[in-house]
Amino acid sequence: MYINDAIRYRMNCEQVLFYSENCFGTADAISFRYRTLRIFDLKTGVVPGSVHQLEIYAALFCLEYDIDPFKISIELRIYQADEVIVYDADPEDIAFIMEKIQEFDQQIEQLKIEEEL
């Protein structure tokens, strides 16, 4: 299902999402078309997948490409054990994660500067 859906939505696979040296990730499959961001994650293990990882990827995407999460639709999917779990991301959650990424990135950079002194 994962492969067929990724092909159907013409998704890019193993897409690096980069905000800074301190915060980045790699989405299994991602596309942004017609103001809809889709991020799919394939889980092959027995530990249940978490949508939080995909929310972070959505926040990274919005930060990297300067996209307002309130102006797009965000569909997140987890493929695991022959099941597909679909989430419509809440833009408020994505905006909150974006703020935290920016805040913590600044703190990490400050700590790096202080460590050099």
Side-chain angles (χ1 to χ4, degrees):
M1 288 185 291
Y2 166 77
I3 292 171
N4 289 335
D5 287 350
I7 291 169
R8 180 179 314 123
Y9 289 110
R10 299 186 340 228
M11 301 181 87
N12 295 322
C13 296
E14 297 299 317
Q15 179 68 48
V16 174
L17 300 168
F18 185 87
Y19 175 69
S20 74
E21 292 291 331
N22 304 314
C23 191
F24 53 89
T26 303
D28 288 349
I30 189 170
S31 70
F32 184 61
R33 287 187 178 77
Y34 310 111
R35 307 214 49 81
T36 298
L37 174 61
R38 288 186 172 89
I39 303 175
F40 296 175
D41 195 32
L42 176 63
K43 297 294 186 191
T44 57
V46 294
V47 175
S50 168
V51 71
H52 189 63
Q53 176 184 2
L54 300 181
E55 290 173 324
I56 292 169
Y57 289 163
L60 287 171
F61 176 87
C62 290
L63 286 167
E64 183 173 355
Y65 295 100
D66 195 27
I67 302 289
D68 182 344
F70 292 95
K71 294 183 178 180
I72 64 172
S73 298
I74 303 172
E75 179 184 308
L76 310 173
R77 294 187 186 188
I78 296 174
Y79 293 78
Q80 186 171 24
D82 295 327
E83 291 184 344
V84 182
I85 301 169
V86 180
Y87 300 92
D88 290 321
D90 182 339
E92 289 187 25
D93 292 342
I94 303 306
F96 176 79
I97 294 168
M98 291 169 67
E99 290 172 11
K100 289 300 173 189
I101 288 171
Q102 292 172 315
E103 177 186 333
F104 292 139
D105 186 62
Q106 290 175 357
Q107 290 177 6
I108 291 168
E109 286 303 312
Q110 185 61 39
L111 289 170
K112 287 178 179 179
I113 290 169
E114 291 171 8
E115 190 174 277
E116 290 177 3
L117 298 177

